[in-house]
Amino acid sequence: MLLIRCPYCEEERPELEFRNAGEAHIARSANMAGESDDDFEKFFFIRSNPKGIIYERWRHMHGCARFFNAVRDTVTDKFIMTYKAGEPKPSKLPKNSNEVVAK
Amino acid sequence: MSSAFRIPSAGRLSQVRTARFSFDGQSYTGIEGDTLASALLANGVHLVGRSFKYHRPRGVLSAGAEEPNALVQIVRDDARKTPNVRATVQELYDGLAANSQNRWPSLSFDVGAVNDLASPLFSAGFYYKTFMWPKAAWKSLYEPKIREAAGLGVSPDKPDPDHYSSRYAHCDVLVLGGGAAGIAAALAAAETGVRVILADEQAEFGGSLRFESGAKIDGQGGFAWAQAAIAKLSAMDNVRVLSRTTAFGYYAQNFVGLVERVSDHLKAPGHDLPRERLWQVRAKCVVLASGAIERHMVFANNDRPGIMLAGAARTFLNHYGVAVGRNVGVYTANDSAYAAAIDLKKAGVNVAAIVDLRDNPTGPVIDEARALGIEINFGRAVIRAGGKLRVSSMTVQPKNGGGERTIPVDAILMSAGWTPSVHLFSQSRGKVAFNDETKRFVPGTYAQDCVSVGACNGTDGLSATVDEAYAAGAKAARDAGGKTAKGTKPKVDGSENWSRGMLGAAPGAGPDTTVKAFVDFQNDVTAKDIRQAVHEGMRSIEHVKRFTTNGMATDQGKTSNMHGLAIAAETLGKPIPEVGLTTFRAPYTPVTFGAIVSHARGPLFDPTRKTAIHPWAEAQGAVFEDVGQWKRAWYFPKAGEDMHAAVDRECVAVRTNAGLFDASTLGKIEVVGPDAAKFMELLYTNPWEKLEPGRCRYGIMLREDGFIYDDGVVGRLAPDRFHVTTTTGGAPRVMNHMEDYLQTEFPHLNVWLTSITEQWAVIAVQGPKSRDIIAPLVEGIDMSDEALPHMSVREGKICGVPTRLFRMSFTGERGFEVNVPADYGQAVWEALWAEGQKHGATAYGTEAMHVLRAEKGYIIVGQDTDGTVTPNDAGLDWAVGKKKADFVGIRGLTRPDLVAKGRKQLVGLKTKDPKVVLEEGAQIVEDPKQAIPMKMIGHVTSSYWSQNCGRSIALALVAGGRDRMGDTLYVPMPNGVIEVEVTGMVFFDETGGRLNG
Ligand SMILES: [Zn+2]
């Protein structure tokens, strides 16, 4: 079970309190009705499904109930950072965020 | 009372505390503190089981959790029959009853042993090759037969009467393994004041100190030091010491699962104690001190009872006071077996000979063995063991060939060396590294905050182990914020040092032989099987493993993996690291379902939700159905009525007089705030801005793709306040959907969302007499049709308590839904019921509710829709605001596929024979004479007998359905084809006049 830091509660809490909510930074168009078929396809159906760093949405379902964003590595399952909904996609990830602990 | 092989001067058990037990019905006596294995061996019983595939007689191999052979069934009573218990782990209690497994009719004469003679048939890949064809025979023929013949133990056939508990724990340093290393690490960490948990799978701490007679720490024997250290740790407030506790899984972020066996070792546990306790521990740092597991020698007939690991024989002697034979042979490729021979010799057991594969080893143990007069043979191999139900001899030959010599023995102690136990390290996603010099896989790259110490880290020698472990424990504590330690490192005064050993098949079981030299005892895999797998094209060790099943039994290959790997590597002509090590997976040892399930069974498996009116319905004899977690009154049978009769009566009564229905489970959400109407505009297809306060509207919610997500009646209580209802099952996801949009897409809207499902009890009063029933109880609401028309809502009082009174109908009759605070739900229901009795009202359940709404063609989202149905498909286009600039799903609705012709549309169906009721889910075709597979054009979504219509009615999704009005279609069923006519969806009161009737 993972520990996830809720950026609103400012605390690491167990995964059971959270719900994944799909890929992040896919904005709904302000002119939804006017979207082309291609743009709607990209918006609704196409997801990046990367091996490695993914930006995704989570909800602190059984806590503060807020939606927020997280950066996670899909290979190691490690959370690299979390940030509030509406904040821009981080341009730089924390240094050494994903290195393995060397002993 | 001393048993034949118990040596009074040896071991640590108190001889006075005896325990009687039975094995296969035969009575024996052991001593408290014994394991079942040590007690059986004390009585001279080595034959304890039959092997999985060949049904070969098998004895005790080990003295611990790695045991592959001695698996027994422990029978406490009728319901408590635990299979596959390792006799080396099961502690003895007075009255213990155990049975051997996998044999018929008896352990010494087993019919299944014919498999051994027919073994060429059962070689590697046997299952894959033999049972390839025909596929259908798997289910009916092969699988049942294989299971019958090859099952390990018998599952209990009664519900588990025991209870299990579950705890979460947090600590700074979690130490796994309570041998010298684990104890030293725990001491170092504990002395700094940080929170420490120390767990070990054995009943007593000490690990290999249980048998290492040469170990001296802080001036005392190793085992005594361990007990003193544990007593000290147990007395510390910041330390939790868990014995009989196995760490079975190491998960992400230092989350470790442990099972504590609380009462399996007790004679009469009583019901206060759980049988087992699951610990889910989150640690800042984990210290792995899991030790090493001894390997056997791979030679012909190395599985005969009486042949065991040298360290195990030493444990049985030094800890349990049991000699595993009177005339033992030793076969080794390293020093540690010498120590066993020396201890046994000193205890008065004859050591017939030591056979050592090495050419000219030197060292203190060899000198000591020689000094004791034990015959030692260097550069020789045991090429086969004699005997069947018990080993009777070992045949020795120079390892490069030559004359054979057979030595009579009644036990063989073997040691090919020790394998570091890297299971938990590997589960933590750490990468092991192969040390070419010592031929061992040891922890290499770490993936989590953990550290390996002692034998599991490839550290040899007690002194080095304690140094390393103490330093690691202190560092882990320091990293977790502990104070500077004030303790002192344990001082090792006496130690044993072991050299390396060998991997793979011994001489005499090499590539040119066909002997049965077992690598994996539990799955009956021989050296030859592994070579055969390579010859048949398996290259990766993962393929070899699956093809031969090596290491795939419940012991997870603890003794066999390294031998199997070495044989595969040799056959492939590749170095071991290039062939790779198989993945270690949780659980380390088998875990009971009970421990994992814990209290989440029976009534505690899932919460049960009951409405405020539930007790009334129960008292009336209602039959309930499960709707999600809710219990809902399904129908209210009167004496002598079956479901059909009750539902018919309820349906007719509602349309004749009135009915009362508990609608409390409806999801309810309050949408409040200055931008509430704007928010509703975006979340529902309908227009809301112009809906006047006091009025209601049927709303449809879509997903962005344009498909119906939920529906429900929404009342506007005030300009800034909406009372939204959702489907019973949809309430949580609708709330989530709304929150998602509010928080992430429309955060500029000033709106609050509150789930009020549990706050309001809802009593639907429906039927021509409904107003007459409600009106006398209501205060402050004008109940006239002019003041309170259909689809309106008022706040006032009923029976003196606040109400939100909706005039709405899910039956097509004049109807009301009375919302009252849940605490008053039953009282208001009873008052309404009393009024209702004056007007011939009945209580009706969910089944009648379904029939009545279907008579009117009202859909149920999730029954008549399936996530691929648009409002247009459902005939609800009128509910989509055509002038709206935006709402969730607006763009999805114009996708090419959603506006294409020929989509499935919701229609009514009438069977040509009005008495025939269609089956929900039945498929619909145009031409029933076409060849199978037929082209299906739709399916039945709702179907009922309607007493009000005097016939059956149905709703269905049919391709191009609305263009087929009046057409005849067909529903092919196993008993014949049913003819149906396509109709509109409304079967009763098509003009809707009864809403005001
Ligand atoms: Zn939170």
Side-chain angles (χ1 to χ4, degrees):
Chain A
M1 188 163 48
L2 299 168
L3 284 177
I4 302 172
R5 182 180 171 80
C6 172
Y8 294 96
C9 297
E10 300 185 338
E11 221 184 304
E12 279 200 324
R13 305 292 304 169
E15 187 184 346
L16 289 176
E17 294 182 8
F18 298 84
R19 192 79 55 83
N20 182 284
E23 194 164 349
H25 301 294
I26 298 170
R28 188 178 188 275
S29 167
N31 177 26
M32 199 62 194
E35 289 284 280
S36 69
D37 280 349
D38 283 351
D39 286 344
F40 182 78
E41 183 196 32
K42 280 192 201 116
F43 162 73
F44 191 77
F45 294 104
I46 307 300
R47 294 295 179 266
S48 60
N49 191 27
K51 179 180 179 180
I53 301 297
I54 189 170
Y55 297 80
E56 61 189 2
R57 294 164 0 107
W58 284 79
R59 186 180 183 199
H60 195 185
M61 194 76 187
H62 305 290
C64 63
R66 301 296 298 265
F67 284 84
F68 60 90
N69 292 327
V71 189
R72 186 173 59 93
D73 188 314
T74 60
V75 178
T76 63
D77 230 13
K78 273 190 184 159
F79 278 78
I80 291 155
M81 63 180 292
T82 56
Y83 51 102
K84 291 177 180 173
E87 287 181 5
K89 192 171 182 167
S91 53
K92 245 184 168 174
L93 296 179
K95 221 179 144 209
N96 298 332
S97 55
N98 201 32
E99 73 172 11
V100 287
V101 187
K103 294 267 161 151
Chain B
M1 192 183 105
S2 177
S3 307
F5 288 83
R6 188 82 64 180
I7 300 182
S9 60
R12 306 187 176 97
L13 310 186
S14 161
Q15 302 278 338
V16 290
R17 300 183 64 91
T18 58
R20 283 160 299 121
F21 71 102
S22 74
F23 179 64
D24 280 348
Q26 173 91 37
S27 290
Y28 299 98
T29 303
I31 298 176
E32 275 186 25
D34 263 329
T35 60
L36 176 59
S38 69
L40 284 166
L41 293 172
N43 287 278
V45 178
H46 278 256
L47 172 62
V48 290
R50 287 273 174 174
S51 73
F52 181 58
K53 201 159 76 175
Y54 300 131
H55 289 244
R56 283 170 71 99
R58 288 284 164 82
V60 176
L61 179 78
S62 74
E66 68 271 34
E67 180 60 36
N69 285 339
L71 306 180
V72 298
Q73 187 125 15
I74 302 288
V75 182
R76 272 193 192 265
D77 56 36
D78 219 23
R80 295 175 172 89
K81 302 173 185 170
T82 314
N84 299 329
V85 175
R86 287 151 297 163
T88 51
V89 173
Q90 175 66 50
E91 292 171 59
L92 196 67
Y93 54 82
D94 191 45
L96 180 144
N99 291 316
S100 60
Q101 301 181 159
N102 212 24
R103 72 339 184 226
W104 185 86
S106 76
L107 189 53
S108 53
F109 179 75
D110 173 24
V111 167
V114 60
N115 285 359
D116 195 14
L117 303 176
S119 60
L121 284 174
F122 287 85
S123 59
F126 160 73
Y127 294 107
Y128 298 106
K129 290 179 206 158
T130 313
F131 302 119
M132 286 280 280
W133 185 91
K135 209 173 152 196
W138 250 115
K139 231 175 131 181
S140 59
L141 185 65
Y142 300 143
E143 198 179 325
K145 286 289 167 204
I146 291 170
R147 287 194 184 283
E148 208 175 288
L152 269 180
V154 183
S155 322
D157 51 7
K158 294 209 162 58
D160 188 343
D162 289 316
H163 64 103
Y164 300 78
S165 75
S166 173
R167 290 188 65 170
Y168 289 90
H170 296 260
C171 66
D172 296 303
V173 182
L174 171 64
V175 183
L176 301 174
I183 292 171
L187 282 171
E191 282 157 358
T192 71
V194 301
R195 293 169 304 163
V196 176
I197 295 177
L198 168 63
D200 190 82
E201 64 189 357
Q202 297 279 350
E204 287 168 293
F205 284 81
S208 55
L209 298 173
R210 292 195 308 160
F211 63 78
E212 277 185 40
S213 48
K216 292 272 180 299
I217 306 174
D218 286 344
Q220 49 188 332
F223 187 78
W225 167 83
Q227 305 319 301
I230 291 300
K232 182 179 167 193
L233 286 166
S234 301
M236 295 171 82
D237 289 339
N238 58 323
V239 181
R240 184 187 292 282
V241 174
L242 296 169
S243 62
R244 301 187 176 93
T245 303
T246 304
F248 64 84
Y250 195 138
Y251 306 95
Q253 290 172 296
N254 274 355
F255 189 68
V256 181
L258 305 99
V259 169
E260 180 185 3
R261 294 178 301 281
V262 180
S263 61
D264 268 358
H265 62 290
L266 299 176
K267 173 183 167 66
H271 206 66
D272 290 350
L273 286 178
R275 181 175 172 224
E276 294 177 336
R277 182 178 290 126
L278 176 69
W279 289 88
Q280 296 176 75
V281 181
R282 181 84 64 178
K284 279 192 190 147
C285 181
V286 175
V287 177
L288 298 167
S290 43
I293 292 171
E294 197 170 22
R295 294 185 302 276
H296 57 279
M297 297 292 289
V298 178
F299 63 99
N301 297 339
N302 60 343
D303 61 329
R304 292 307 185 203
I307 304 180
M308 66 170 62
L309 299 172
R314 216 178 159 204
T315 304
F316 288 123
L317 179 71
N318 292 343
H319 191 75
Y320 300 101
V322 173
V324 299
R326 300 196 199 285
N327 179 37
V328 306
V330 176
Y331 184 23
T332 187
N334 80 101
D335 283 354
S336 69
Y338 282 80
I342 291 164
D343 286 352
L344 280 158
K345 178 80 180 173
K346 285 179 177 168
V349 174
N350 186 51
V351 179
I354 295 175
V355 180
D356 192 331
L357 263 183
R358 297 172 298 177
D359 284 325
N360 279 304
T362 54
V365 284
I366 295 167
D367 297 341
E368 190 179 353
R370 198 174 278 128
L372 286 167
I374 300 172
E375 177 194 328
I376 301 173
N377 302 278
F378 290 141
R380 279 162 208 272
V382 173
I383 55 165
R384 93 181 71 87
K388 188 149 196 287
L389 300 180
R390 174 76 184 266
V391 64
S392 60
S393 66
M394 58 182 189
T395 299
V396 182
Q397 188 182 40
K399 68 179 179 189
N400 298 320
E404 295 180 8
R405 174 185 156 212
T406 296
I407 305 171
V409 292
D410 62 0
I412 299 176
L413 320 185
M414 54 185 171
S415 180
W418 295 75
T419 307
S421 203
V422 293
H423 305 72
L424 290 168
F425 168 78
S426 186
Q427 283 182 26
S428 80
R429 298 195 179 188
K431 294 261 179 299
V432 293
F434 190 70
N435 183 320
D436 208 41
E437 196 194 327
T438 60
K439 304 282 179 221
R440 298 190 289 211
F441 281 103
V442 291
T445 314
Y446 282 81
Q448 299 205 37
D449 198 353
C450 62
V451 57
S452 299
V453 295
C456 73
N457 196 35
T459 304
D460 296 316
L462 187 58
S463 192
T465 289
V466 168
D467 283 358
E468 176 181 75
Y470 195 83
K475 182 179 184 301
R478 209 163 46 241
D479 293 350
K483 300 170 296 195
T484 310
K486 49 180 187 259
T488 43
K489 189 175 73 180
K491 186 169 170 290
V492 176
D493 312 311
S495 174
E496 299 181 358
N497 268 303
W498 300 327
S499 53
R500 286 141 203 183
M502 69 164 304
L503 295 171
D512 47 345
T513 64
T514 57
V515 298
K516 276 210 187 71
F518 286 90
V519 173
D520 181 331
F521 293 106
Q522 200 180 347
N523 263 353
D524 268 348
V525 180
T526 64
K528 179 175 148 274
D529 291 332
I530 290 169
R531 291 187 198 107
Q532 186 193 333
V534 173
H535 292 318
E536 295 198 13
M538 308 302 140
R539 289 296 174 269
S540 148
I541 193 64
E542 294 287 356
H543 291 155
V544 171
K545 166 179 160 176
R546 280 158 185 78
F547 194 70
T548 62
T549 72
N550 191 61
M552 288 175 71
T554 59
D555 69 339
Q556 291 223 5
K558 291 185 178 65
T559 49
S560 64
N561 278 340
M562 288 308 295
H563 281 321
L565 176 58
I567 295 166
E570 184 192 25
T571 314
L572 282 162
K574 282 184 178 174
I576 283 174
E578 276 181 39
V579 182
L581 189 60
T582 56
T583 313
F584 293 96
R585 295 178 207 283
Y588 173 71
T589 53
V591 177
T592 62
F593 285 113
I596 291 168
V597 170
S598 188
H599 293 296
R601 54 188 280 203
L604 298 180
F605 177 66
D606 203 26
T608 300
R609 301 175 81 184
K610 292 176 181 173
T611 71
I613 298 148
H614 187 93
W616 185 90
E618 214 166 22
Q620 293 288 312
V623 176
F624 291 89
E625 67 167 336
D626 291 337
V627 180
Q629 292 170 332
W630 288 104
K631 297 279 174 202
R632 300 198 73 182
W634 196 11
Y635 56 97
F636 293 81
K638 291 194 169 176
E641 276 185 342
D642 61 4
M643 177 175 175
H644 189 74
V647 171
D648 283 356
R649 174 181 51 74
E650 290 170 18
C651 286
V652 170
V654 170
R655 298 209 188 281
T656 313
N657 296 314
L660 265 68
F661 174 70
D662 180 2
S664 303
T665 65
L666 273 185
K668 295 173 278 294
I669 297 167
E670 208 160 276
V671 178
V672 184
D675 296 322
K678 278 198 189 113
F679 181 72
M680 290 297 293
E681 290 276 341
L682 284 165
L683 267 289
Y684 283 84
T685 61
N686 323 61
W688 300 95
E689 298 268 21
K690 287 186 182 146
L691 182 71
E692 290 191 10
R695 297 308 306 259
C696 303
R697 182 161 283 167
Y698 168 73
I700 297 179
M701 173 179 271
L702 305 181
R703 303 188 312 190
E704 290 287 7
D705 56 6
F707 295 129
I708 296 175
Y709 191 58
D710 202 71
D711 70 347
V713 170
V714 177
R716 191 169 193 175
L717 297 169
D720 62 350
R721 185 176 295 260
F722 291 83
H723 178 115
V724 175
T725 67
T726 75
T727 54
T728 292
R733 65 183 155 81
V734 170
M735 186 73 186
N736 188 66
H737 180 83
M738 285 183 169
E739 279 287 353
D740 193 350
Y741 277 96
L742 181 59
Q743 290 183 31
T744 68
E745 295 294 351
F746 313 131
H748 55 284
L749 296 181
N750 196 354
V751 174
W752 298 266
L753 302 171
T754 310
S755 167
I756 53 169
T757 303
E758 307 269 1
Q759 272 59 46
W760 296 95
V762 184
I763 302 160
V765 185
Q766 303 275 311
K769 308 275 179 62
S770 55
R771 182 168 57 188
D772 303 337
I773 294 168
I774 296 171
L777 304 176
V778 171
E779 295 165 55
I781 300 173
D782 183 344
M783 296 287 288
S784 68
D785 282 349
E786 296 69 44
L788 187 66
H790 179 57
M791 293 302 266
S792 55
V793 58
R794 293 289 179 277
E795 291 180 273
K797 285 196 165 178
I798 186 165
C799 305
V801 304
T803 182
R804 289 179 178 176
L805 180 64
F806 285 73
R807 169 100 189 259
M808 56 180 282
S809 175
F810 200 42
T811 58
E813 301 296 319
R814 167 189 293 277
F816 300 87
E817 290 193 358
V818 181
N819 287 251
V820 292
D823 285 350
Y824 301 107
Q826 178 146 342
V828 173
W829 172 282
E830 281 170 0
L832 286 165
W833 177 250
E835 280 301 319
Q837 294 314 289
K838 300 174 192 165
H839 301 281
T842 190
Y844 66 101
T846 51
E847 188 64 19
M849 177 270 282
H850 275 103
V851 178
L852 292 163
R853 65 89 201 175
E855 288 171 353
K856 293 296 300 176
Y858 299 151
I859 67 161
I860 289 184
V861 169
Q863 174 165 348
D864 300 299
T865 71
D866 60 3
T868 66
V869 176
T870 67
N872 185 283
D873 298 340
L876 297 169
D877 230 9
W878 58 266
V880 180
K882 305 293 180 297
K883 293 181 191 144
K884 291 175 66 169
D886 196 7
F887 58 81
V888 173
I890 191 168
R891 180 58 186 84
L893 284 178
T894 60
R895 289 192 289 145
D897 280 357
L898 270 63
V899 295
K901 276 212 173 318
R903 287 187 60 80
K904 285 184 183 168
Q905 293 170 327
L906 212 48
V907 293
L909 292 182
K910 283 182 178 170
T911 50
K912 290 281 162 84
D913 177 350
K915 297 240 175 312
V916 172
V917 181
L918 293 169
E919 207 165 289
E920 288 175 356
Q923 297 292 318
I924 298 160
V925 301
E926 260 178 331
D927 169 15
K929 298 205 174 71
Q930 60 186 305
I932 292 172
M934 297 189 186
K935 183 170 190 272
M936 295 172 288
I937 59 167
H939 68 277
V940 178
T941 61
S942 290
S943 175
Y944 309 94
W945 171 258
S946 164
Q947 188 71 8
N948 286 314
C949 299
R951 59 158 302 121
S952 72
I953 57 170
L955 300 176
L957 279 166
V958 177
R962 289 201 291 272
D963 294 331
R964 295 178 188 265
M965 287 299 145
D967 289 4
T968 298
L969 295 175
Y970 302 89
V971 179
M973 297 299 289
N975 307 328
V977 174
I978 301 167
E979 248 181 286
V980 297
E981 184 195 332
V982 180
T983 70
M985 289 165 64
V986 184
F987 299 93
F988 189 85
D989 183 31
E990 270 189 77
T991 58
R994 298 182 67 92
L995 286 169
N996 293 302

